[in-house]
Amino acid sequence: METKINKPVIFLNCVEMEGNSFIKLYYKADEKIGQRIKQNDWINYNVQLSSWCVNNTEKNIGILKELFSDIAEVSTKHLNWTPRPQLKVTANNIGRWGYEMPALEKAEKRGTITLFSFERDGKKLIGFKYVFPKRQYYEIDSSNVFNRDKKMHVWYIAAKKNQLKKTIEYLMHGYTVKISSELKISDLQLRRMLLEHSYKKDRYFKSCPMEFLEYMQLHNYSRSTFDTYHNMVLRFINTFKGQNINRINEFGVKEIDNYHKIWMQKNAPSASLINQSVNAIKLYYKVISRQELNLEDVQRPLKNKNLPDIYSREEVKRILLSISNLKHKTMIFLIYSAGLRISELINMRKENILVDRKMVFVKGGKGMKDRYTTLAESALKLINEYIKEYKPEKYLFEGQYGGKYSTTSLRKILHRAKRNASVNTPGSVHTLRHSFATHLLENGTDLRYIQELLGHNSSKTTEIYTHVSNLNISKIKSPGDMINL
């Protein structure tokens, strides 16, 4: 007696979309079916329908039946089935209905531990500060994973790759582990693990391919760009639940465009965020794809032409006068008076202050470019007082345990100073750089010189300050002034 073997079933269903008729393929995840689809490029994945589709013709239905006859049963039982009517879209509910599961789900909210580098007695160490519950404290203290300096209130390990990996793996079970800006990790397995461990890992989760990360590391992408591109690609590849990475790597321009269109319709992200995603995904396919893709055809939204926030001269003065700590005041004033980015200040060494020439040498700024910028006499005076009192060793501004100063701490300093000075103008540390450029322009400095001082590649980037400067606008007489009320 022959045993009947049940084949998997592929159900066909007709759908209409944007005036076109398609046939969707429904089936339970099956490796053989997936492989067969992969071999037939006339079967396309439709992002909006979240399924594999072909054009709706009698011929295509016949071809599908024949194509899968040896591995699956192709059923037309639900060919003309239609779903229940969707909720009517109105101004009140648009963008709030029909959500699918998010591409990436964060794990349960947990405490955050930030690892930082420091030196003690000439030894390089990695440490963190965290107040554990009493029971867990004794458990960790006896684990021999890391030591505790009771005087400094710091848990620490030797700065060695194997110990760092062991520490991260130990902490990751209960905490979100982050790395401070001055701690560099070259091991890509560790970097990927740190970037991805805060997400839920279901059976569909796909890690960012190592080949892509190796390319970015080899081409010396900045840490910020590396992390952003990793996260954008991670979101992209995890949007396609049930599709393996090999199939996603064969997507074309159409699938990339559809992905961004749907993202914009569902979540209304900013144009700059979508542009970052476009840049990351284009680079990904340049590295990964084995097919010829004209990536220049990938669509991107127009960028918003937002003008930067600016602190007035009076506001900058009030901010500085509200800071009593010499080190904090020197950092904030140097950023403003030299037009520095926050990363440029954090990475600055003592020898980058050229006292005789009254200049600041910015080494490896954005785009890995060196440049010179101006050094104010009053800033130089503050720097000399600061160096005499604090005696920094390696970096001009060092953290509590040596090494680079924390960007988070610097942002907190400005936020506190603005509050104390009653400055309500919206803005961040970077707004000091915008203010530097605007105030130079208002003082009559040529735009080409400002471009050099800021380190902009294009004069068009610098020209934005002409729109926020009151140099010429203040000279224009409003027609309202001509009416005597």
Side-chain angles (χ1 to χ4, degrees):
M1 183 176 178
E2 290 185 11
T3 304
K4 186 178 179 181
I5 301 174
N6 291 325
K7 292 181 182 179
V9 182
I10 302 174
F11 293 100
L12 305 185
N13 176 228
C14 295
V15 290
E16 297 287 329
M17 190 180 72
E18 297 176 358
N20 297 312
S21 184
F22 298 97
I23 295 174
K24 293 171 67 174
L25 282 67
Y26 288 100
Y27 61 92
K28 287 185 178 179
D30 184 279
E31 189 177 340
K32 288 183 179 178
I33 293 175
Q35 188 66 28
R36 188 66 56 85
I37 289 173
K38 184 179 172 182
Q39 293 167 353
N40 289 268
D41 57 6
W42 61 283
I43 305 176
N44 297 306
Y45 187 83
N46 189 300
V47 183
Q48 289 171 276
L49 298 174
S50 299
S51 65
W52 294 98
C53 300
V54 298
N55 290 327
N56 184 7
T57 65
E58 286 293 332
K59 182 180 178 181
N60 280 345
I61 293 173
I63 293 173
L64 287 172
K65 287 181 177 180
E66 187 177 336
L67 179 66
F68 294 102
S69 60
D70 59 328
I71 59 171
E73 177 190 340
V74 177
S75 171
T76 57
K77 181 181 177 181
H78 302 293
L79 188 65
N80 296 311
W81 175 83
T82 55
R84 283 179 292 179
Q86 293 280 5
L87 176 69
K88 184 180 179 182
V89 182
T90 68
N92 293 325
N93 65 28
I94 190 166
R96 297 181 180 274
W97 62 284
Y99 275 74
E100 295 175 8
M101 291 294 288
L104 295 167
E105 282 190 88
K106 286 281 187 181
E108 292 178 15
K109 196 170 183 180
R110 306 180 291 180
T112 299
I113 290 176
T114 302
L115 304 178
F116 57 84
S117 63
F118 69 103
E119 291 186 17
R120 193 186 64 180
D121 302 327
K123 293 181 180 178
K124 292 185 176 181
L125 304 170
I126 295 173
F128 65 91
K129 279 189 169 187
Y130 196 84
V131 180
F132 294 102
K134 191 172 182 180
R135 183 179 173 185
Q136 198 173 6
Y137 172 90
Y138 291 117
E139 180 188 320
I140 290 172
D141 199 29
S142 59
S143 68
N144 295 322
V145 177
F146 26 73
N147 303 304
R148 179 161 174 78
D149 187 314
K150 292 183 179 179
K151 187 178 179 182
M152 298 172 66
H153 305 291
V154 171
W155 299 90
Y156 69 91
I157 58 169
K160 294 181 180 178
K161 176 184 170 182
N162 59 336
Q163 283 194 260
L164 178 61
K165 187 174 186 293
K166 186 179 178 182
T167 297
I168 291 171
E169 288 175 341
Y170 183 88
L171 292 172
M172 269 172 41
H173 293 295
Y175 300 90
T176 297
V177 183
K178 293 186 177 180
I179 300 295
S180 62
S181 58
E182 79 278 359
L183 183 55
K184 292 184 178 179
I185 297 178
S186 56
D187 184 274
L188 287 177
Q189 292 284 359
L190 269 181
R191 289 183 75 175
R192 184 170 70 173
M193 185 167 65
L194 281 165
L195 288 168
E196 297 179 4
H197 81 281
S198 61
Y199 298 110
K200 285 184 179 178
K201 307 290 194 305
D202 58 19
R203 64 193 180 101
Y204 296 115
F205 182 83
K206 294 177 277 288
S207 284
C208 190
M210 192 59 69
E211 186 180 349
F212 178 60
L213 304 183
E214 287 170 349
Y215 178 91
M216 288 198 290
Q217 186 182 60
L218 180 65
H219 289 78
N220 203 25
Y221 279 67
S222 70
R223 175 174 169 172
S224 173
T225 304
F226 183 100
D227 292 354
T228 299
Y229 280 19
H230 165 274
N231 288 336
M232 291 297 178
V233 168
L234 190 71
R235 186 191 190 280
F236 174 71
I237 63 178
N238 281 283
T239 295
F240 305 94
K241 306 290 184 184
Q243 300 303 321
N244 65 38
I245 195 67
N246 291 329
R247 181 60 195 169
I248 292 170
N249 290 347
E250 292 176 350
F251 284 175
V253 170
K254 183 180 178 181
E255 285 84 2
I256 298 171
D257 283 345
N258 282 342
Y259 164 75
H260 287 118
K261 287 174 186 176
I262 293 169
W263 185 8
M264 292 182 77
Q265 290 168 17
K266 287 185 176 180
N267 301 94
S270 66
S272 61
L273 190 64
I274 293 294
N275 273 304
Q276 280 185 326
S277 178
V278 169
N279 292 339
I281 293 169
K282 282 176 68 173
L283 180 66
Y284 176 77
Y285 278 99
K286 176 185 173 183
V287 175
I288 296 290
S289 182
R290 303 289 180 259
Q291 58 180 320
E292 287 296 322
L293 272 179
N294 190 359
L295 293 171
E296 294 307 311
D297 289 342
V298 174
Q299 297 178 36
R300 60 171 74 239
L302 289 173
K303 289 183 180 179
N304 296 330
K305 296 184 178 179
N306 298 326
L307 297 177
D309 293 313
I310 300 296
Y311 302 131
S312 69
R313 288 187 182 87
E314 180 59 32
E315 286 175 327
V316 173
K317 184 178 179 180
R318 279 160 46 201
I319 288 170
L320 290 165
L321 289 175
S322 72
I323 304 173
S324 56
N325 183 287
L326 176 61
K327 182 178 183 177
H328 297 170
K329 180 179 288 188
T330 306
M331 286 191 290
I332 295 297
F333 189 46
L334 186 55
I335 284 180
Y336 167 72
S337 63
L340 301 176
R341 298 180 178 94
I342 191 168
S343 59
E344 293 167 350
L345 181 91
I346 296 301
N347 291 313
M348 190 159 292
R349 297 172 185 261
K350 290 189 293 183
E351 57 268 26
N352 296 147
I353 302 297
L354 310 179
V355 177
D356 294 340
R357 299 173 63 187
K358 292 185 181 177
M359 298 177 80
V360 178
F361 175 54
V362 180
K363 183 170 178 59
K366 191 174 181 180
M368 305 306 292
K369 289 194 310 177
D370 297 346
R371 77 175 191 279
Y372 291 96
T373 185
T374 182
L375 178 62
E377 190 75 51
S378 48
L380 181 57
K381 184 181 176 183
L382 269 179
I383 290 169
N384 287 334
E385 288 178 23
Y386 156 73
I387 290 175
K388 193 178 292 184
E389 182 174 331
Y390 284 84
K391 299 178 177 59
E393 295 179 8
K394 185 177 179 181
Y395 296 97
L396 182 59
F397 300 104
E398 296 179 335
Q400 187 178 356
Y401 307 108
K404 298 176 187 176
Y405 199 83
S406 163
T407 54
T408 303
S409 297
L410 186 54
R411 291 187 179 103
K412 286 179 179 177
I413 289 166
L414 181 69
H415 179 73
R416 187 166 56 248
K418 283 180 64 180
R419 187 177 64 242
N420 293 339
S422 300
V423 172
N424 298 317
T425 301
S428 61
V429 175
H430 198 71
T431 305
L432 292 166
R433 176 174 155 90
H434 291 318
S435 304
F436 161 83
T438 305
H439 297 163
L440 277 180
L441 187 64
E442 289 174 349
N443 206 37
T445 307
D446 191 286
L447 206 60
R448 289 170 298 176
Y449 294 130
I450 298 174
Q451 180 186 342
E452 288 295 319
L453 294 173
L454 293 174
H456 286 163
N457 283 327
S458 169
S459 60
K460 289 191 176 296
T461 309
T462 318
E463 282 170 9
I464 192 170
Y465 299 111
T466 62
H467 300 290
V468 292
S469 166
N470 65 10
L471 178 64
N472 295 314
I473 294 175
S474 61
K475 296 177 182 178
I476 299 173
K477 191 169 183 178
S478 167
D481 289 331
M482 303 173 192
I483 299 175
N484 186 0
L485 294 178

